[in-house]
Every structure is written in structure tokens, then in C-alpha cells.
Amino acid sequence: TTHVKASADMTIHLEENIESLDEVVVVGYQTVKKADLTGAVSVVSTKSLETSSDTDPMRALQGKVPGMTITGNGSPSGTGSVRIRGIGSFNASQDPLFVIDGVPTTATLNSLNMNDIESMQVLKDAASASIYGSRAANGVIIITTKRGKASQGNKINVSFSANLTAQFYSSQSTMKLLDTPGYATAMAQAAMNDGIDPAAYASSYGLDLHAPSGYPVRIYDIASNRYVDYTVNGLYDGYINSRRTMMMSNTDWLDEISRTGFSQSYDASVSSATDKSTVFFSMGYKKNDGILKYTDFENIAARVNSTFNVSKAVSVGENFTLTHTKQVDCQPMENALKMPTTVPVFETDGTTYAGPVGSMADRQNPLRELAFNKDNALNIWRLFGNAFIDIRPVKGLTLRSNFGLDYDAAF
């Protein structure tokens, strides 16, 4: 990028990027130069993936591919919802087809090591993805993993990378919820507007609007055209339950369930190439402590890609990866938004989780929901890859037999 000062008689000449036009793009059964490409295909730069803190390669592409929408739910597993052609059905899956080294899959990619990705192409129109049939109705994403390169000669290349990222809810992204005085004011005002005695209504939630001490509350009585002042506290001498174990509080539930989460990843790879063979081996480890307490994601992956030239016309090879994933996920946000701020996190003993009381039986303590789920881990073993043989009977023609495997076991 060149920055120049603007002037009235400015003339700008653009030069074509020859290297970009000569870039090779994988499309179905063939590879073509980008300059000769006519279909709706996006070529994705994978340089940003090497330093991304996301656990899913799709999340790292958010906002970088025209026509492709990627959203996430914020869970530590980091899976992204990918939509290439919008929403075409309410019942059928909207996920695109992933083709990794020639093996199709619709599973999430959070077990794939991002540093193993060599290239990525997004086939968006029907013509580009037609060879994959009905499975390509939502688009196709072709991923090619790294291999040993002949250009490195007989040298052995060794690489290592490490990343550490902190993540947290900023003040701009956190919803502003009512505190206890605001909650009591809204409750009393709603009761007044419905013609219900505010004090009687508040008592069903363990609150006393005629308390001798507590938070001041003012509401407007439209019938008498005047303001009415109350003082709110726990109905039972400051407690909101009859057993007197939950003192009325001013709890920020979003703050109580969130934390600063750290995401770390470590990747090491070794590759070599000769006239007879190419070999690539990698190991990757990533761990993501979620922003929500007691949630996390951990993954370890090993990959071996190799190719051997049996003769000038015949080559055999394989691309295999073995991964183990362990994740603890929970979705307590609805309860965090619904749970009244008047409920404390713990009862007076400091260990028993508080709430709900009275008429709030449909709401649960979100921190308790997270804590009770922390040992409910999902473990997944996955073996994914293929073995192939290439035969080149004449120059420019390659016949390939490809045997793919996609096996996973969860417990």
C-alpha cells in the first residue's frame, strides 16, 4: 500500500498482480490458474490462520470471504456456523460440505490443526460445486493440508509456533442489567400498572416494600397522579426465604459467571522432500479456557502426510490425522439474564448455591448450572484421512484412486 497526498490533478495507474493471477486453485477434479477461473470461487489466504486464537478454522475466516457468513455462540469449542448460500431450508442442514485432501465431511473442523492447512477454496455457485451432487447444495469448502515440498531439496524443515491469547467480556459487549433497586422498581411499577398491590406482588418474590431499611424505590401511580415511595429489603428480616439462608443481595449474574479466559496453542512440524518421496509430520495442542467459568476445550492432533514415487508414472501416498478432543460446554446465559439480582450467589453457609425462591421457580442459579456441569466432559477420538494411488498414463492426465476414512468415537 502506497500513501500519497491528494491533489486536484492526480492520476493513478494500477499494475496487475501477476502472481495472484498465476495462483493455482483447486476446483473439483482439476486445478486451474486463478486467471482462467470463471465460477464463483473464493481463494482464502491462510496466513492469518497461523496466528489465530480461534479453535475452528472457519471462525478465523469471519468477515474475510465475500458471500460467506460465519457466526459463533461464544463456546470454548469455537465451532462456527457457516452459511454460503444463505438459509435455504428450515428442516434440512444448512452446513456446507468440507472436502479435506479429497475426503468429504460435514463434521466441524475444530479438531483440525489450523497450522496444517496449506490452501482453502470456497466454491459458492452451482457450477463450481456440481461434481459433488446434492451434498454441495450449501456450497463446498476445499481444504488442502501441507506436504513436504520438492523446492526444499533434501533439507529437513522444522517449525514451531506458540500462541497465548486472553479473552474477556468488554464493557461494550456486556449487557447492562438492572440492579436490585431497578429490579424492584420495575416489579412494583408493573404491579401498579396492572392494578395489583405492589407490596403483595413483591412478597411472592421474597421482597418487602415496607421494610424499615433497604433500597429506596419510587413508582408512579397513574390513578392518583402522584409518586409513591417504598423501601425494599428481604421479606424475612432482610432474607428472601423463610428459612433465612438467603440474604437479599445486589448480584451481577453476568459478572459472577464470567472470567478472563486464556487460549493457548502449540504446534510443531517436520517435513522433508526428495525425488522419491515427500513427508510431513505435525503435532498440535490447543487449550481454550472459556470466558464462562468451568467451561473449556482441549485438543491434541497428530498428522502424517506422505507421498512415494514408485515410478515415473505411479505414486502412492496417504494423509491421516488422529485427534483427541475434550470439551466442557454449558449454556447458562438465559438463566443469567432471567435470575433476579435480589438472589445471592450462595446461601449464608458460603457453599450452598442460592435460589430460586417463591414465584421464581422457573429460574435457576446460572453459576450452579456451570459448576454442576464441570465434570460432564465430552471426549471425542477421531481418525480422518485417506490413502491414494496416482497413475499418469500421459502428460497432463492423472488417474487417482482414493480411499477415505472418517471415524470418530465419543464418550
Side-chain angles (χ1 to χ4, degrees):
T1 303
T2 303
H3 299 275
V4 296
K5 187 176 181 180
S7 61
D9 56 347
M10 176 179 290
T11 302
I12 299 177
H13 299 277
L14 301 179
E15 295 181 357
E16 65 180 2
N17 189 338
I18 301 299
E19 294 182 359
S20 176
L21 295 177
D22 287 338
E23 185 177 357
V24 175
V25 180
V26 179
V27 183
Y29 292 133
Q30 61 180 340
T31 58
V32 298
K33 287 186 177 181
K34 194 173 182 180
D36 300 329
L37 193 60
T38 58
V41 178
S42 292
V43 181
V44 180
S45 173
T46 58
K47 291 183 180 180
S48 60
L49 300 182
E50 298 176 359
T51 57
S52 174
S53 61
D54 290 303
T55 55
D56 188 340
M58 293 296 100
R59 284 284 301 277
L61 300 181
Q62 194 169 23
K64 297 180 180 179
V65 179
M68 184 168 73
T69 303
I70 303 173
T71 57
N73 60 5
S75 68
S77 59
T79 56
S81 175
V82 183
R83 299 292 178 264
I84 295 178
R85 296 179 181 171
I87 299 176
S89 172
F90 291 106
N91 299 321
S93 172
Q94 306 297 316
D95 297 328
L97 176 69
F98 300 103
V99 180
I100 306 174
D101 292 327
V103 181
T105 181
T106 55
T108 58
L109 301 184
N110 57 1
S111 62
L112 179 64
N113 188 348
M114 284 193 284
N115 280 347
D116 289 346
I117 298 177
E118 177 73 25
S119 65
M120 189 180 300
Q121 288 86 36
V122 181
L123 312 185
K124 294 183 283 188
D125 66 337
S128 301
S130 58
I131 66 169
Y132 298 103
S134 61
R135 295 178 300 175
N138 299 314
V140 179
I141 298 178
I142 299 178
I143 298 175
T144 305
T145 57
K146 295 179 180 178
R147 315 186 67 83
K149 297 181 180 179
S151 59
Q152 68 187 66
N154 294 325
K155 297 180 180 180
I156 297 178
N157 286 354
V158 180
S159 66
F160 176 80
S161 66
N163 292 293
L164 177 64
T165 305
Q167 48 195 354
F168 52 88
Y169 286 122
S170 64
S171 58
Q172 292 84 1
S173 63
T174 305
M175 293 184 65
K176 302 297 186 291
L177 304 180
L178 291 175
D179 56 9
T180 291
Y183 176 79
T185 300
M187 175 189 293
Q189 187 67 67
M192 180 72 75
N193 293 344
D194 283 346
I196 303 173
D197 180 14
Y201 184 72
S203 65
S204 64
Y205 288 86
L207 300 179
D208 181 8
L209 292 184
H210 298 296
S213 63
Y215 294 107
V217 172
R218 168 173 285 194
I219 64 174
Y220 178 71
D221 184 1
I222 192 172
S224 60
N225 193 27
R226 64 183 181 87
Y227 286 96
V228 181
D229 293 318
Y230 294 100
T231 300
V232 61
N233 209 327
L235 183 61
Y236 306 94
D237 299 326
Y239 296 90
I240 62 175
N241 65 330
S242 59
R243 293 172 48 240
R244 288 174 169 77
T245 58
M246 304 181 199
M247 182 69 72
M248 192 192 76
S249 302
N250 189 11
T251 307
D252 184 346
W253 286 109
L254 290 181
D255 183 66
E256 292 294 339
I257 66 173
S258 62
R259 65 182 177 184
T260 299
F262 291 92
S263 176
Q264 51 187 317
S265 63
Y266 307 92
D267 298 284
S269 65
V270 179
S271 64
S272 67
T274 65
D275 295 337
K276 295 292 185 180
S277 64
T278 64
V279 177
F280 175 85
F281 173 77
S282 72
M283 287 284 294
Y285 172 80
K286 51 189 174 185
K287 180 175 176 59
N288 185 4
D289 296 324
I291 299 178
L292 299 181
K293 295 177 180 178
Y294 306 114
T295 63
D296 62 77
F297 174 85
E298 189 174 16
N299 172 265
I300 184 169
R303 170 175 289 276
V304 176
N305 292 352
S306 61
T307 303
F308 300 93
N309 297 325
V310 179
S311 65
K312 291 183 178 181
V314 180
S315 299
V316 296
E318 52 74 34
N319 308 282
F320 276 106
T321 179
L322 176 65
T323 65
H324 174 255
T325 301
K326 179 182 179 181
Q327 62 187 58
V328 178
D329 198 6
C330 189
Q331 305 293 335
M333 292 303 294
E334 181 180 355
N335 280 322
L337 297 177
K338 292 167 56 178
M339 195 66 171
T341 57
T342 56
V343 180
V345 179
F346 295 100
E347 296 187 3
T348 51
D349 61 8
T351 57
T352 304
Y353 288 98
V357 297
S359 297
M360 59 180 81
D362 59 331
R363 305 159 204 185
Q364 299 297 321
N365 187 323
L367 188 60
R368 176 175 60 191
E369 188 179 357
L370 286 166
F372 286 6
N373 185 69
K374 65 181 180 180
D375 295 324
N376 188 25
L378 175 63
N379 290 271
I380 303 173
W381 284 95
R382 186 183 186 191
L383 180 62
F384 182 89
N386 70 313
F388 62 88
I389 177 171
D390 288 343
I391 301 176
R392 298 174 291 275
V394 295
K395 185 177 180 180
L397 175 63
T398 301
L399 305 178
R400 165 172 288 202
S401 290
N402 191 45
F403 306 91
L405 173 65
D406 186 2
Y407 171 79
D408 64 78
F411 56 93

